[in-house]
Each structure stands twice: as structure tokens, then as C-alpha cells.
Amino acid sequence: MHRKLTITQHVGPAGGWGSAKSLANILLRTGVPFGGSLLLTHQNKTDGFACVSCAWAKPARPHPFEYCENGAKATAWEITSARCTPAFFAAHTLAELRTWSDHDLEAQGRLTEPLRWDAATDTYVPVSWEAAFQAIGADLRQRDPAQVVFYASGRASLEASYMYALFARMYGTNNLPDSSNMCHESTSVALPESIGVPVGTVTLEDFAQADCFFFFGQNVGSNSPRMLHDLQDASRRAVPIITFNPLRERGLERFVNPQSPIEMLSDTSTRISSQYHQVKAGGDIAAIFGICKALIAADDDAAAAGAQRVLDHAFLAEHTHGFEAFAAEARAQTWPALENRSGISRTAMEAAAAVYARSDRVIGIYGMGLTQHRAGVAAVQMVVNLLLLRGNIGKVGAGVCPVRGHSNVQGQRTVGITEKPELAPLDRLAEQYGFQPPREKGLNTVEACEAILDGKVQAFIGLGGNFVRAIPEREAMEDAWERLGLTVQIATKLNRSHLVHGGVSYLLPCLGRIEIDAQATGKQVVSIEDSTSCVHRSRGMREPASPHLLSEIRIVAELAKATLAPNPRVDWDGWTGDYSLIRDAIEATYPDRFHDFNRRFGQPGGFHRPIAARDRIWNTPTGRANFVVPKTTHEDADMPEDRRDVLRMMTLRSNDQFNTTIYGYDDRFRGIHGSRMVVLMNRNDMDRLGLDEGVDATIVAAADDRERRMSGFRVVQYDIPDGCIGTYYPEANALIPLWHHAERSKVPAAKSVPVRVFRSA
Ligand SMILES: Nc1nc2c(c(=O)[nH]1)N[C@H]1C(S)=C(S)[C@@H](COP(=O)(O)OP(=O)(O)OC[C@H]3O[C@@H](n4cnc5c(=O)[nH]c(N)nc54)[C@H](O)[C@@H]3O)O[C@H]1N2
Ligand SMILES: Nc1nc2c(c(=O)[nH]1)N[C@H]1C(S)=C(S)[C@@H](COP(=O)(O)OP(=O)(O)OC[C@H]3O[C@@H](n4cnc5c(=O)[nH]c(N)nc54)[C@H](O)[C@@H]3O)O[C@H]1N2
Ligand SMILES: [Mo]
């Protein structure tokens, strides 16, 4: 379908009336009455439910309306009045549904009954829960566990996630990839080497104490809007916010708090960023090196003049390793090379350094703009290097802050969803449950894809998510997917991964987090962990979308019972009847992280897991915080630097989506309305390539010789650095080679895909 595309030059601030209007549209379309939206006042409250959108921290003393435009959209999307029933499936074959858009599939509403794919009619037909569990269990029992993948998407609770990981390991595999393999795995590889923890070191209280923020590659206005309150407070305290982003994102420029009547009525907005540096895609390593070079030079000058030093030498001496090697490397960098690779000027890097040098408590924030590159791990480590220079880790108001994606993606890792056996307490599990957990490394997301392509993986279980749509290399992957023997998807809404199915396929509908979860001992609560390692309670409040839905916990328990030999130490039914028993089990496995779990998680603000680096305890091989020198300032060694026809494609999220869930076709903050099939281009590149605004463009992957081509993109002139283009995720994923991932973390390098752009013939 060709949608009418309109572009607006004037874009309002983040928040404000635009936000109220955009939300009203969604409430209308999802059939949620405005009165029903009163439910929103329970979002992110001690006694309410944890928002199903992003993972940003939830304060102990929440605002009366502790939600944002996009959190509210996510809620409306889940509590929609639309239902995707067996009658719908009877009327549409899966071959037909495969021609539908992501938006239209999910807009059918909540799944209501368990379904089995019927080959004869190519439709999903109703099946009883019992029959589904027995069939899946029988199938799994005759498979080699190494050939089965247990994927998780980051939304399921700590309780469900713990049980899911335990089920996979008792079955015999560490094949537990999750969405974080496409997201912050670069963080999980980088931070342990640098500072000995896999997660960020700041809390919300630090946000209130910081006197400077560095902000790299994270689109706060769309993807973690509640953080804008914290940034607005900072801006009002005249705290500098220094932003690095190829695009001038609206939420990083100005914000009107939609919950403040005064700001709404007087139309006053707050500036967010005080310096805005439009780095090239992948230019951050060079930009940060430039800042470090300027700081080290100023420090060398101060030393020579006998003046007060710029770097925190007491901290460097006591707490760090590798400073001299790093400083030598920074001194050796040349400004022209740094300017060329970062896309920003020496003056810009020095201006950022000057503010940094004046600040005592600095927080470094980052998102997918750093992690989703070939050199994503090194980019994260550069942020830490910068912070270490002035002791900005392990002190109040300072630290590193990776902004996580899914609302419980960090928590899933905390309770054992990981393909890396060394990250799970296997000995402890062996003792607690009396079984031999598998010790060999499991498959992460990219490796699972490779194994599916090679035919080495035969079955896929998905605890939420839309795997096929989220991964790179779409065409080859979809073809291979259909050769899987078994696919089982536990989901709330219909998506493409349910349509590209294996030989035997089940679609199991579950309760959402906002819904009342009643079990044998009454209504249950669950827990999640936010981006600041804070664990919160969440209580569902809404009547379930259908009486046939089961909780994720119950579904995992039933699958485990149907698959595994009984084990007297694992009481799947007892756990399902009373979730506090699962929390006791989690506490027994992780006594340090979760002591007194059932009492503490209900207190206002939840509780923080201990993070050693916060206390300057460095669990690294050197026992110190390590400076890590990047191999090169070039973000991608595969990317020919001299080939001007090859552009770097960043795949972006709009303001109207949650990952592969597409709420609508507008990207209000970027002034793009009515279509997602656009390619954002710089005027110079358009002229050079002979492309006018509005023409139909074809994009061809240029990373290797394999043909990957997509047409139907409309060219939009945009303020984006030379040589970089922007398209939307997931539409453009067919253009990303599977091998084009971050070194070591294997996060698909979705922000620097080498491509060529042509006018469509
Ligand atoms: N409403 C909503 N909320 C969400 C999501 C959603 O889709 N919708 N997704 C959730 C998930 S799973 C995640 S992981 C997060 C994602 O949230 P983000 O981390 O914000 O991810 P993206 O939207 O992909 O955008 C990354 C930003 O990086 C910039 N960028 C791209 N390349 C570079 C680069 O090389 N350097 C720099 N400095 N910047 C760059 C882009 O211009 C963009 O502003 O949000 C979560 N929250
Ligand atoms: N090109 C490109 N690719 C990317 C990215 C990018 O920036 N660019 N970002 C990557 C990132 S950061 C991520 S996190 C992944 C996201 O990958 P996924 O997490 O796999 O994808 P989602 O779109 O979040 O999954 C949406 C589906 O989850 C199901 N769902 C929603 N709520 C629930 C629930 O409560 N329970 C259950 N069981 N199911 C539920 C619904 O059926 C919905 O259709 O994509 C990655 N892919
Ligand atoms: Mo993510």
C-alpha cells in the first residue's frame, strides 16, 4: 500500500500538546475510552503496575502521573478492546497474513485462545491448552536439546524469566538468547572489562546530583521520555547537557512537560542540550578520543606550569589501570584524523572538554547509537575512559548510564537468561535442584540465526518478541525459518514471527503485565528490574483480555512439566499457585542480589541490587578500573573510507513504535507523517547521487557481494551528516548482513550498514 507522505519543517518541542494529541489518537484507535485511561495513574506506582514500555528508572516518590506519551501508548496498545479471535484466523490463511503490515497484524488486537497451525488449511486453529502442552512436551522430549533455542524478548517478569531459564537448563541447553543480544550486549561485554560490572552505575538520586551530562546516541524523547523530567530538572539547575547524535533529535533539544498545566498553557519549553554535536554515524570513538586528547593536553600544560591538574590523579593512581598507555594513544591522535572520523570539529571537541573539565559529577548516558556498531564494545569503553579521567565512577552524582530497552531486559539477565554459562550460577542451581546444568556455551541471537541457516537448530521457543522481524538478513532467515521442525510463540499480539512458522507450530496467548493474574492462592504480583538495577513490584489491575489466557509463569510451568521428568525439588505447580515462592527460590539462588526479596520489593521505590563499581570495588582481572584503548578510531574496518558512493545507513525508531510494534505512521518529532518507507538524506548526498526530494529510491547493501536490495523508499531531505542516511527499523532489516555485527558482543551493527542508494528504475 502506498501511503501519502507529508513532511513538516516546523516541529514542536518534545512533550507538550503534540504529545497529548498523539496519545489521544492512539486511545481512540485502540478503543480505550478516555475514562479507562484513568488506569494510567497506576502506572509505575508502588501499588500499581510497572509500565510495559521502556526500562527507565521509576522514582520512589512518583509524580501523580508517572507515565509518558509512549508509556501511555504502550498501555493502550495492550489494553485495547480489539480481539484477534479464532474467527479471524478461520478467515485468513497465513500466506495471506504474510502480506499484511506489522501495524495491521498487531492492530487486530489481543490473542484470545491457544492456536495450532493446521497445514491442510494453512490457518491457525484453536487447540486446548492441555493438548498444546502435551504435544510440545512430546516433541521436545525427542529432540537433542542442543538443537532447541529458548528466546526471550525482555518484557517477561523476573519470576517468569527465572523459571524459563531453569526450564531450558533442566532440559539440557544454555541456548538462551535474548533481545539484549541485539541491544545492550555491547554494554555487557564492555563494562565488565572496564569496571567489573555488566550494568550501569547510576541511580535516579545521582541524576539529581550530577553537574554535567554527556549524552551519546540515545533518543530520549521517543524511547525513554520519563527521563526528560530528570533532564528538565537538570537543565533548570543550569547543568550542561552535551549531546552527540547525528540527528538533531527534538527530545534532546526542547521539552514541554505535558503534565504541567503551566507549561502547557504558556507554551514554555526547557532547553535540554547545551551543546549539540552532530557526529557521523560511528564517529563517537573519534569524538571521545578528541575530548580526552584535549583534557590530557590541558593536564600536561598544567603540570608543566605547576598549576592545578585537570585530571583526577589521586583517583587514577589508586583506582585505575592502563592510564599511561591510554594517554599516550590520545596524545598520538592527530586532529585532522579525529575530525575526519568523528565528523565534528576540533573546536567542538575542545568545547566539550572544557565543560567536562569544569564539572565535578558527570554522568555518561548512551543507547543504541553506540552499541549497534561494529566497534560498539570499544565505543562503550571510550565513554568509560572519559569518565575515569576525572574519577566520575563510584561517586555521588556521577557514573555510566546505559539506557536499557525492554522494561525487564536487564532483569532477565540478572535471573539467569543468558547463553553464557559463566554468567549463571550453575553450581548453585545444581545444588538447589539436584540436576546437572549444561556447561557448554549456548547460542546468542546471531549464533542462533547462523545455526538456523545451517539447519543445526531445529526448534524455537519464544517467550515474547518478534524474532524474525527484529534480526538482520530477513530474506534468508525467513526461508530458513520455515525449515524448523517446531516453533512455539508465547505472545500477546499477532506478529510476523507467528506467520513464518515451523513444520509444527503453536501460538500461545498470555496475560499482559497490566492484567489481573489470579492463581490458586489469589491475585499475584510480579517484579521487574529497571535500567538502574532497581527492582520493583508490579500488580496487574485490568480484567484479562480473554478468559482463556494463562500467565507466562503458568505457561512456562506447564511446558516444563510436559517436557521434563518430575523433579521433587522443583514444584512447578506450587510456584504457579503462589509467586512469592518463586521469589524465595530466586533469593535462594542469588542471596546477595535478592535477600529479603518478598519484603523489600514492595517498598516505595523498590530496592537496588548492589553494584560493586558504585563503591569503587573493581571486579576486573587487574582489580582496578581499566582504561581500554580502542584498536582504531575507525568504527568499521569493513567500511571502505574512500568509496564515496557507499553510505552508512542507521536504522532508527520513530516516535510511533515500540520496536516491531508499529502504533502508527507518524514520526512527529522528525516531521515525517504518513509513511515509514523513507530514506533520510543530506542535501549534498542527494545532489551527488542525483536524487530529488520525494523520488522513489532503491537501497542496496554494499557490505559484501551478496545481493540484498529493497525498493519503495521515498527520499526525504534531512539534517544528517554527509555520507550517512537514516531508514526505519524493522522495515530496513533485510539490508543488514547477519555477519555485520559488533565485534565480540555480536550485536547487529544496525547503525552503520554500508549501502548504496539509487533512483528506482
Ligand atoms: N517508545 C519506544 N520506546 C522504546 C523503544 C521503542 O521502540 N519505542 N525501544 C526500546 C528498546 S528495546 C530500546 S533498546 C531503546 C532504544 O532507544 P535508543 O537507544 O534511543 O535507540 P534508537 O531509537 O535506535 O536510536 C538511537 C539514537 O542514536 C542515534 N545514533 C545513530 N547512530 C549513532 C552514532 O553512530 N552515534 C551517536 N552518537 N548516535 C547515533 C540516532 O540518531 C538515535 O537518536 O528504547 C526502548 N524504548
Ligand atoms: N535494524 C534494527 N534492528 C533492530 C534494532 C534496531 O535498532 N535496528 N533494535 C534491536 C533491539 S534494541 C531489540 S530489543 C530487538 C527487539 O526484538 P523483540 O524484543 O523480539 O521484538 P518486539 O518488537 O519488542 O516484540 C514485540 C512482540 O512481543 C509480544 N509481546 C508484547 N508484550 C508481551 C508480553 O507481555 N508477553 C509476551 N509473551 N509477549 C509480548 C507481542 O506479540 C509483540 O508483537 O530488535 C532489535 N533489532
Ligand atoms: Mo532493545
Side-chain angles (χ1 to χ4, degrees):
M1 181 174 44
H2 216 99
R3 303 184 149 266
K4 186 172 170 328
L5 168 70
T6 54
I7 308 293
T8 47
Q9 294 302 327
H10 180 78
V11 183
W17 290 110
S19 159
K21 198 169 134 210
S22 174
L23 172 57
N25 274 334
I26 292 279
L27 291 177
L28 219 58
R29 279 191 283 128
T30 49
V32 175
F34 286 79
S37 63
L38 273 182
L39 195 59
L40 291 174
T41 55
H42 297 287
Q43 199 146 313
N44 298 324
K45 297 294 170 50
T46 304
D47 234 9
F49 58 93
C51 179
V52 295
S53 194
C54 80
W56 183 238
K58 294 140 190 80
R61 281 185 302 282
H63 307 262
F65 298 92
E66 188 59 39
Y67 65 87
C68 66
E69 168 185 344
N70 279 344
K73 284 183 194 170
T75 299
W77 201 249
E78 182 169 312
I79 67 175
T80 173
S81 55
R83 296 290 177 271
C84 191
T85 63
F88 169 84
F89 288 105
H92 302 282
T93 63
L94 298 201
E96 181 208 332
L97 292 174
R98 281 196 290 273
T99 66
W100 288 31
S101 70
D102 298 311
H103 172 272
D104 293 351
L105 291 173
E106 284 212 27
Q108 297 314 306
R110 291 289 300 280
L111 296 163
T112 59
E113 288 183 41
L115 301 161
R116 172 181 65 79
W117 177 63
D118 176 53
T121 56
D122 186 31
T123 58
Y124 271 122
V125 295
V127 59
S128 73
W129 279 109
E130 195 43 37
F133 293 136
Q134 288 316 319
I136 297 165
D139 183 296
L140 287 176
R141 279 199 305 275
Q142 47 87 32
R143 288 187 188 277
D144 171 358
Q147 298 186 338
V148 181
V149 162
F150 290 81
Y151 174 68
S153 136
R155 199 177 277 201
S157 64
L158 290 169
E159 293 81 353
S161 305
Y162 176 83
M163 285 169 62
Y164 190 62
L166 183 63
F167 168 35
R169 294 205 167 90
M170 291 181 75
Y171 175 60
T173 181
N174 284 311
N175 290 342
L176 283 158
D178 71 356
S179 67
S180 94
N181 292 144
M182 299 179 252
C183 185
H184 267 293
E185 189 63 25
S186 299
T187 297
S188 311
V189 172
L191 293 187
E193 289 175 0
S194 292
I195 56 172
V197 294
V199 295
T201 66
V202 301
T203 66
L204 271 183
E205 292 74 58
D206 292 315
F207 263 67
Q209 301 283 321
D211 66 1
C212 175
F213 291 88
F214 272 69
F215 215 107
F216 299 93
Q218 203 272 338
N219 188 9
V220 58
S222 290
N223 298 332
S224 51
R226 284 181 302 108
M227 190 203 283
L228 281 172
H229 296 288
D230 306 300
L231 295 178
Q232 189 184 33
D233 290 345
S235 168
R236 291 207 176 114
R237 287 183 279 124
V239 168
I241 299 174
I242 302 180
T243 295
F244 298 81
N245 196 308
L247 305 182
R248 295 198 70 93
E249 301 287 26
R250 210 57 193 124
L252 286 160
E253 295 195 310
R254 303 208 71 81
F255 174 55
V256 174
N257 183 349
Q259 293 161 16
S260 153
I262 297 175
E263 285 179 34
M264 288 291 272
L265 292 175
S266 59
D267 234 358
T268 40
S269 60
T270 317
R271 70 91 187 145
I272 297 296
S273 300
S274 52
Q275 286 184 23
Y276 209 114
H277 303 294
Q278 282 181 275
V279 283
K280 279 192 209 169
D284 302 85
I285 293 178
I288 302 172
F289 237 140
I291 299 166
C292 295
K293 178 179 171 70
L295 288 164
I296 291 164
D299 188 68
D300 290 344
D301 290 349
Q308 196 191 341
R309 302 294 289 266
V310 176
L311 308 184
D312 183 343
H313 286 277
F315 174 82
L316 292 174
E318 189 185 344
H319 289 288
T320 71
H321 172 86
F323 166 69
E324 280 310 332
F326 176 76
E329 203 63 43
R331 291 187 193 103
Q333 297 293 320
T334 68
W335 286 112
L338 293 174
E339 289 184 323
N340 181 32
R341 293 214 165 142
S342 66
I344 63 173
S345 67
R346 171 178 179 173
T347 319
M349 293 180 256
E350 287 177 338
V355 176
Y356 180 78
R358 283 200 297 276
S359 307
D360 294 323
R361 297 176 303 278
V362 184
I363 292 182
I365 302 173
Y366 66 90
M368 298 300 100
L370 289 199
T371 61
Q372 294 179 334
H373 285 287
R374 296 279 285 161
V377 173
V380 172
Q381 290 178 328
M382 276 308 284
V383 174
V384 176
N385 293 339
L386 173 66
L387 292 170
L388 292 178
L389 288 180
R390 282 179 50 84
N392 279 308
I393 294 196
K395 76 178 168 195
V396 172
V400 64
C401 179
V403 185
R404 301 277 164 172
H406 275 291
S407 48
N408 193 35
V409 65
Q410 184 170 315
Q412 293 198 328
R413 293 241 143 190
T414 304
V415 295
I417 294 197
T418 169
E419 75 286 358
K420 295 176 181 157
E422 67 277 15
L423 297 185
L426 298 183
D427 294 335
R428 185 78 202 92
L429 290 173
E431 195 186 320
Q432 195 173 344
Y433 299 115
F435 76 109
Q436 272 317 314
R439 302 280 164 168
E440 33 325 315
K441 195 195 152 309
L443 302 170
N444 62 27
T445 293
V446 163
E447 292 158 354
C449 290
E450 289 164 349
I452 289 168
L453 287 171
D454 293 348
K456 289 187 190 133
V457 157
Q458 292 291 323
F460 180 94
I461 319 286
L463 181 60
N466 188 358
F467 190 84
V468 172
R469 201 69 183 144
I471 55 178
E473 203 82 82
R474 174 169 317 137
E475 283 173 25
M477 281 309 303
E478 287 199 353
D479 290 346
W481 201 263
E482 296 187 347
R483 295 195 294 272
L484 288 173
L486 172 74
T487 54
V488 178
Q489 303 278 2
I490 302 165
T492 50
K493 290 217 176 166
L494 184 61
N495 66 43
R496 187 160 178 95
S497 296
H498 311 151
L499 306 173
V500 196
H501 53 82
V504 174
S505 183
Y506 287 87
L507 179 49
L508 307 180
C510 63
L511 290 173
R513 194 190 296 151
I514 303 170
E515 289 166 325
I516 296 167
D517 184 350
Q519 302 294 344
T521 59
K523 290 181 188 170
Q524 304 296 314
V525 293
V526 294
S527 54
I528 58 119
E529 174 183 328
D530 70 27
S531 255
T532 61
S533 305
C534 191
V535 177
H536 302 268
R537 183 172 72 184
S538 177
R539 183 192 304 279
M541 320 200 82
R542 176 102 178 162
E543 281 304 318
S546 146
H548 306 295
L549 301 182
L550 297 184
S551 72
E552 288 172 322
I553 287 169
R554 173 91 193 273
I555 294 171
V556 172
E558 296 293 345
L559 287 173
K561 278 170 25 192
T563 308
L564 307 174
N567 176 332
R569 296 208 224 169
V570 189
D571 183 4
W572 299 104
D573 287 331
W575 282 354
T576 306
D578 179 356
Y579 296 177
S580 71
L581 300 176
I582 314 171
R583 288 185 286 277
D584 287 341
I586 295 175
E587 180 172 342
T589 308
Y590 303 94
D592 298 346
R593 298 175 183 177
F594 289 102
H595 65 88
D596 216 1
F597 192 176
N598 275 306
R599 183 186 63 80
R600 290 196 300 152
F601 84 136
Q603 65 203 20
F607 65 89
H608 281 279
R609 285 201 292 119
I611 303 299
R614 259 184 89 72
D615 302 321
R616 297 195 166 169
I617 296 165
W618 315 105
N619 292 328
T620 60
T622 60
R624 288 162 173 245
N626 290 311
F627 280 91
V628 184
V629 179
K631 272 196 307 213
T632 156
T633 54
H634 192 2
E635 59 84 40
D636 181 0
D638 314 313
M639 177 84 179
E641 268 188 300
D642 50 346
R643 304 245 297 280
R644 294 261 292 149
D645 59 325
V646 177
L647 304 166
R648 271 161 221 248
M649 179 177 76
M650 312 185 269
T651 53
L652 303 162
R653 291 165 165 78
S654 81
N655 179 52
D656 241 0
Q657 75 183 86
F658 190 92
N659 298 339
T660 70
T661 294
I662 310 301
Y663 303 131
Y665 291 89
D666 295 334
D667 196 356
R668 183 163 56 84
F669 294 152
R670 300 199 181 107
I672 296 165
H673 300 271
S675 173
R676 295 174 50 85
M677 284 299 287
V678 294
V679 47
L680 311 184
M681 289 189 90
N682 173 299
R683 182 79 247 172
N684 295 334
D685 288 325
M686 286 167 63
D687 290 346
R688 204 160 49 78
L689 300 171
L691 295 162
D692 300 322
E693 170 113 336
V695 302
D696 253 315
T698 297
I699 308 183
V700 182
D704 57 23
D705 295 336
R706 181 174 181 150
E707 164 94 355
R708 300 179 193 82
R709 168 186 297 268
M710 283 185 75
S711 312
F713 293 95
R714 304 274 288 284
V715 173
V716 173
Q717 184 188 326
Y718 206 80
D719 180 5
I720 182 169
D722 268 334
C724 303
I725 63 167
T727 53
Y728 286 117
Y729 143 67
E731 282 79 356
N733 279 31
L735 294 165
I736 310 177
L738 186 58
W739 60 262
H740 185 71
H741 53 68
E743 288 167 23
R744 302 198 293 140
S745 71
K746 299 206 173 172
V747 171
K751 299 290 188 268
S752 56
V753 187
V755 294
R756 292 192 180 80
V757 184
F758 305 98
R759 180 189 284 267
S760 298

